[in-house]
Amino acid sequence: MVFGPIPNREYHEGFMRKAVEMAELALLSDETPVGCVFVHNDEVIGRGINGTNASLNGTRHAEFVALAEIMAKHPASILQDTDLYVTVEPCIMCASALRQYKIRAVYFGCLNDRFGGCGGVMTVHQDRGVDPPYPVYGGLFREEAIMLLRKFYVQENNKAPDPKPKKNRELKTEILPISTPKVATPTVSTPDVEPKLPILERAAAAAATANMKGPAK
Amino acid sequence: MNAPSTLVTALVRKPKGFLEHVFLLSTFAFSLATAWYGVKAIMAALPTSKSSTATTSPSSPPPNKHAEWILKVIKDNVEGQDALDLQHLRRFAKPKFLPPHVIGERDRIKELYSVPRSWDAGPPSLMQDSESPSWEWAASARKRNESRAPTLYLLICPTNVIGVKDLHDLLLLHPPFVSSPDSWSYPLELKEVTVPRLAPTSPEQAAAWSDEYWPTFYRKTNPFGAHPATIEKAETELQEPSTNNVSIEAMMQLAEQAGDATEKLGYGISTGCVIVERVEDQTEIIAVAGDARGKPLPSENGACVSLEDLSLEDLEEDDKGTRKGGGGAFAKKTARKKRKKQGQKLAKLAEEHACTSGNVMCHAVMRAIGMVGRKRLRIASQPISTRAQKAEAGFISAGLAHDEKARDAFFLDLPVNALEQQYFDKDNIKADGYLCLKLEIFLTHEPCIMCSMALVHSRVGRVIFKHRMSETGGLTAEMDSNDSGPVGLGYGLCWRKELNWQFMCWEWTAANRAGSARAGRGKDIDAMNAAHATLGDGRVLRNGHRVNGNTEDIEDDDDLSQEHDIYHDQDEDANSGMNPSLTYVHV
């Protein structure tokens, strides 16, 4: 269930905010506005935006750019304890790469219904395969992720073999709700009682939620 | 030189195997609900006799209206009824076109005891025409026999979108089934049938499916690959022997050499990729890359720089020095020892630090695609390079381009040996082309899912691979075979209509390599497959580092830097003892 409730949602939204900021940077440099951050032990260890125009390489997606930053300092094995926050669902290529690198979990904003690999078109993260599957959680700042993409796609792609004229395109602002019946809202998973708990219990609750960050067993 | 027909035998999958394919991909067929309803009643009411028109209610719609209404009811009320593309099936079918088992046996007992219907039991008083010498009964009885045929069968929707019970209840709420003076002549009967899920690819197949399942159209298209004529044309182009055309055999050998070359350096497993551009019968080799997933990243190996230098330059220097100096046996031995030691060290480092499947980014396909981008950047015209620079500037302002060396080491889209360098250095790509648009890719192995999708993103034109990778491959579409169990993951990424790019793909089989001159290289295909099967388990770095396995070949390293005999007219011995063939990969 890609858009299911996300435990400790506010914590994850903090990192997704950083990913959205990266996507906004991408838009400024004419790259497809997808941004991501990799988080290890509550710390951002890699950030990425799409780099296909800078490299003339169609595979240089935000995830890969961020991985390059990570691997400049860390061994690849660090990814086994690392989560990815990306504004748009990883594509089939990235979904497979992340699985081969044994990522711990993936959080994303909106689905990618053109070539998404984590539920949008295919489910590479959980299909039969030799590498361990990983959990995905979608819907964090989904509307913002969609709007960033729309802003980009009303522009013309002059590098395409025959660029489509998009003069008449309008930036649509309405966003249809997710058709999945259950959509988690930010308040659902935040424990209401938390502030009232005694200090010791609060620490226990924090520990419990920290455990929940890990991949679903 | 061999004639093209013996060089490569085109082998497009025959319809029978193809059908199997289709079946395997998507559980082969889908159950659908059909409803049949009493169109015959209306039709029987229409003809000649004035009195019988009186028996139909004046408000009754014309017969075909009912069909439209029912379709509308389904469209409005059954969500997802058109989610599956079933354009290849007839929506309405007359009984004479349906296989007998779909219609089912006539229930003669039920007919005997069923309520008389309007067409065979009009009120006798009205039926009797005062002028007529005969009884209307007779005419009515004749009509009953004629009227049995015009029942129509309608395909409603896949059974997974609505249950038979719900569908039954839904249709009972709408005309002509809803309770009304006429409704008793429209008994609602629903039935599940099995129909082909995907379109047929030949008229013969359509006919066979029509006989067995449901009337099926052949629309002269191939939804699971390029049109047969396009495939044929491409195959001719690939095989055409002209001086400027590279042969598949030669490209495959080059890819194998690329894989061997990086493997010998201890960088990866022996898989390789060659990218070729074909412009008006002229072919150019754009990029050659071997797998380097085992090459430790700077971060995984403190002494990386020295090791890298050692592996790349020092050893080559050593070899050259050895040869120049008259090839003293001692020097050679030292070089081998050094290499062996280094290989072990690399393997150990990789095992300790690397992700178990190594640096995924250094699969041969990813590296080769990266090299194409590098080449494009190098020869880009002003506007393109300005744009790239602007994007790069965006990177810098975002603080992302902090360490170019580390980035290059991660993507490894620069040559790592003389063979790769030789092709990388040529400015032979068409200027300002788009990504890898319509380029041809030759691979020793079926690419993994990541690499397959990278090829889609790069807009490649044709892919030819040699060994199928049933545990990791992303291009073939089969999942199970009747004889041998699982044969693939079923992704079929080369031709998925739901993705925004499709390309043609062949599996290339060299039937018998045992007799060939190159068998001595120790490339036993079975052994290769075994080695790569372990790759899937992520254990390749432990048992796949065959760094010192080919020490005898060290002296031959210099032929990596020579121009290879890759053109048909120069390639005499390559075809001896082989009967290679191309098999188009349908999904």
Side-chain angles (χ1 to χ4, degrees):
Chain A
M1 206 167 63
V2 166
F3 286 106
I6 300 173
N8 203 6
R9 191 178 178 109
E10 278 172 0
Y11 169 84
H12 300 296
E13 279 181 343
F15 290 115
M16 187 57 84
R17 175 55 60 201
K18 289 191 164 66
V20 171
E21 282 163 14
M22 296 307 294
E24 281 162 353
L25 270 174
L27 194 60
L28 290 180
S29 50
D30 286 350
E31 293 278 6
T32 312
V34 179
C36 72
V37 294
F38 282 83
V39 176
H40 175 73
N41 287 345
D42 304 338
E43 189 193 330
V44 174
I45 57 167
R47 301 159 306 148
I49 59 174
N50 239 38
T52 53
N53 287 348
S55 61
L56 301 185
N57 180 346
T59 68
R60 206 49 62 83
H61 285 184
E63 293 90 333
F64 287 6
V65 171
L67 283 171
E69 188 187 346
I70 294 171
M71 306 240 185
K73 294 188 190 119
H74 307 278
S77 53
I78 196 175
L79 292 169
Q80 295 171 23
D81 301 308
T82 300
D83 298 330
L84 165 67
Y85 295 82
V86 56
T87 54
V88 183
E89 174 202 359
C91 78
I92 292 164
M93 172 184 72
C94 294
S96 171
L98 291 164
R99 188 161 170 180
Q100 293 185 54
Y101 279 123
K102 300 181 176 58
I103 192 86
R104 189 171 69 180
V106 169
Y107 297 83
F108 63 83
C110 63
L111 279 179
N112 177 349
D113 56 9
R114 295 185 189 196
F115 36 72
C118 297
V121 178
M122 292 182 187
T123 50
V124 176
H125 65 292
Q126 62 174 34
D127 290 347
R128 175 166 79 85
V130 292
D131 297 302
Y134 54 85
V136 297
Y137 306 93
L140 292 165
F141 298 135
R142 170 174 171 267
E143 291 75 12
E144 284 177 56
I146 294 175
M147 282 314 294
L148 279 164
L149 285 177
R150 283 190 187 163
K151 278 180 198 161
F152 180 74
Y153 281 116
V154 292
Q155 302 167 2
E156 289 176 33
N157 181 6
N158 295 323
K159 295 171 298 306
D162 43 59
K164 291 175 189 158
K166 297 181 181 175
K167 287 273 186 291
N168 303 325
R169 291 221 180 167
E170 282 176 26
L171 184 60
K172 282 188 275 182
T173 49
E174 59 162 349
I175 291 173
L176 292 174
I178 300 157
S179 56
T180 328
K182 265 225 157 176
V183 184
T185 56
T187 51
V188 164
S189 52
T190 321
D192 298 332
V193 288
E194 198 183 347
K196 294 172 198 159
L197 288 174
I199 289 171
L200 271 179
E201 280 181 42
R202 218 182 296 170
T209 44
N211 287 337
M212 286 165 87
K213 276 183 298 177
K217 290 288 175 306
Chain B
M1 206 187 84
N2 289 21
S5 57
T6 56
L7 181 70
V8 179
T9 317
L11 206 147
V12 180
R13 235 171 262 277
K14 295 285 183 293
K16 190 167 176 285
F18 202 169
L19 177 71
E20 196 175 62
H21 233 97
V22 174
F23 288 176
L24 292 172
L25 177 70
S26 53
T27 64
F28 123 74
F30 226 88
S31 289
L32 284 109
T34 54
W36 57 90
Y37 55 97
V39 177
K40 62 178 181 181
I42 305 163
M43 293 176 77
L46 286 177
T48 55
S49 161
K50 278 178 270 174
S51 49
S52 62
T53 22
T55 62
T56 354
S57 135
S59 62
S60 240
N64 56 354
K65 264 282 184 281
H66 275 317
E68 284 172 29
W69 279 8
I70 292 165
L71 272 184
K72 191 171 183 305
V73 166
I74 292 157
K75 208 179 155 198
D76 294 346
N77 294 287
V78 183
E79 201 184 323
Q81 54 98 20
D82 56 353
L84 287 179
D85 181 6
L86 296 175
Q87 297 285 312
H88 55 287
L89 301 175
R90 272 185 197 282
R91 197 75 199 249
F92 292 97
K94 289 179 184 167
K96 66 174 170 179
F97 295 117
L98 287 176
H101 69 86
V102 171
I103 303 172
E105 289 281 302
R106 266 179 71 180
D107 190 345
R108 291 179 188 279
I109 303 293
K110 194 177 164 192
E111 280 170 22
L112 197 64
Y113 290 101
S114 61
V115 180
R117 299 187 175 170
S118 59
W119 57 89
D120 51 33
S125 57
L126 286 176
M127 286 294 171
Q128 189 66 45
D129 188 334
S130 55
E131 301 296 312
S132 171
S134 65
W135 291 92
E136 284 292 328
W137 287 109
S140 183
R142 202 168 57 235
K143 222 175 270 172
R144 175 173 57 190
N145 286 339
E146 282 167 358
S147 65
R148 198 160 291 285
T151 305
L152 266 190
Y153 291 81
L154 164 67
L155 212 53
I156 298 180
C157 63
T159 49
N160 64 337
V161 300
I162 188 169
V164 175
K165 173 88 174 54
D166 292 343
L167 184 61
H168 194 270
D169 295 346
L170 172 71
L171 290 177
L172 280 183
L173 297 176
H174 297 87
F177 308 113
V178 72
S179 184
S180 75
D182 271 347
S183 63
W184 55 273
S185 51
Y186 303 98
L188 172 62
E189 291 178 70
L190 295 170
K191 189 184 179 187
E192 278 187 21
V193 295
T194 302
V195 299
R197 160 77 180 80
L198 299 166
T201 52
S202 70
E204 296 79 24
Q205 200 178 36
W209 289 2
S210 299
D211 284 346
E212 201 171 342
Y213 303 106
W214 186 268
T216 308
F217 299 111
Y218 169 62
R219 293 185 191 274
K220 290 188 182 170
T221 56
N222 178 1
F224 319 109
H227 191 276
T230 321
I231 296 171
E232 204 179 315
K233 187 168 164 271
E235 283 175 357
T236 313
E237 210 168 71
L238 282 166
Q239 298 158 41
E240 194 161 78
S242 78
T243 45
N244 295 311
N245 194 9
V246 293
S247 75
I248 299 171
E249 168 75 14
M251 287 304 95
M252 227 29 112
Q253 276 176 16
L254 186 57
E256 278 171 0
Q257 277 166 356
D260 288 353
T262 45
E263 190 199 25
K264 261 187 223 164
L265 290 168
Y267 288 173
I269 57 172
S270 181
T271 68
C273 172
V274 173
I275 300 187
V276 170
E277 182 165 44
R278 185 185 298 271
V279 184
E280 288 163 10
D281 296 340
Q282 299 274 330
T283 45
E284 287 286 349
I285 298 170
I286 307 296
V288 175
D291 179 277
R293 68 185 71 184
K295 188 172 187 292
L297 293 161
S299 56
E300 291 165 347
N301 169 10
C304 170
V305 181
S306 63
L307 264 178
E308 202 173 312
D309 289 348
L310 194 74
S311 59
L312 270 176
E313 287 139 35
D314 290 8
L315 282 176
E316 276 162 28
E317 281 301 311
D318 272 355
D319 283 350
K320 275 178 202 159
T322 312
R323 275 190 294 275
K324 273 176 200 158
F330 176 74
K332 266 190 214 169
K333 217 174 171 181
T334 323
R336 275 184 217 172
K337 257 190 182 168
K338 202 171 173 184
R339 192 181 291 265
K340 193 172 175 181
K341 206 172 154 194
Q342 180 216 351
Q344 285 168 346
K345 199 172 174 188
L346 279 176
K348 193 162 166 272
L349 277 168
E351 197 174 324
E352 279 171 7
H353 298 287
C355 179
T356 42
S357 27
N359 183 9
V360 183
M361 223 43 63
C362 293
H363 289 186
V365 171
M366 298 302 285
R367 292 192 59 223
I369 289 175
M371 287 181 193
V372 173
R374 288 272 186 164
K375 221 177 207 186
R376 289 218 186 279
L377 214 49
R378 191 171 69 207
I379 62 163
S381 66
Q382 191 60 34
I384 300 279
S385 57
T386 315
R387 194 194 315 277
Q389 275 158 15
K390 191 196 164 193
E392 189 70 35
F395 263 56
I396 293 163
S397 69
L400 285 172
H402 57 288
D403 188 352
E404 207 162 309
K405 240 186 168 172
R407 198 166 70 179
D408 290 349
F410 175 65
F411 290 119
L412 215 66
D413 50 3
L414 288 170
V416 296
N417 56 36
L419 176 67
E420 293 177 3
Q421 189 79 48
Q422 175 195 333
Y423 293 101
F424 184 76
D425 286 345
K426 286 183 191 160
D427 288 339
N428 56 353
I429 197 167
K430 237 181 10 177
D432 292 352
Y434 183 65
L435 305 177
C436 298
L437 183 71
K438 292 181 183 164
L439 301 188
E440 289 172 12
I441 319 290
F442 295 86
L443 299 165
T444 55
H445 293 72
E446 181 184 356
C448 72
I449 302 160
M450 171 188 72
C451 292
S452 302
M453 193 59 201
L455 293 169
V456 176
H457 282 317
S458 299
R459 308 285 186 262
V460 303
R462 298 165 182 172
V463 173
I464 296 116
F465 67 82
K466 190 166 171 189
H467 301 295
R468 219 175 241 247
M469 301 299 287
S470 59
E471 294 292 312
T472 52
L475 290 183
T476 49
E478 285 116 319
M479 297 179 83
D480 299 291
S481 139
N482 294 337
D483 330 310
S484 57
V487 293
L489 297 175
Y491 283 94
L493 288 172
C494 57
W495 206 276
R496 297 287 294 233
K497 283 292 185 189
E498 57 269 54
L499 302 178
N500 55 0
W501 186 255
Q502 289 86 33
F503 55 82
M504 283 186 266
C505 177
W506 292 266
E507 180 180 2
W508 187 79
T509 349
N512 176 20
R513 291 187 68 93
S516 89
R518 280 173 169 77
R521 291 169 71 219
K523 288 282 162 249
D524 177 31
I525 290 176
D526 288 339
M528 282 281 289
N529 278 332
H532 291 292
T534 62
L535 178 162
D537 297 328
R539 290 195 299 268
V540 67
L541 289 175
R542 284 175 199 115
N543 55 18
H545 264 285
R546 297 187 291 156
V547 183
N548 24 340
N550 285 332
T551 42
E552 275 69 35
D553 288 351
I554 288 179
E555 287 85 351
D556 302 333
D557 272 5
D558 59 339
D559 66 22
L560 294 181
S561 54
Q562 289 170 3
E563 186 74 41
H564 295 281
D565 293 346
I566 49 167
Y567 296 98
H568 281 297
D569 51 348
Q570 299 162 333
D571 205 349
E572 293 288 332
D573 71 328
N575 307 314
S576 59
M578 294 187 201
N579 182 23
S581 70
L582 277 182
T583 309
Y584 186 77
V585 175
H586 294 283
V587 299

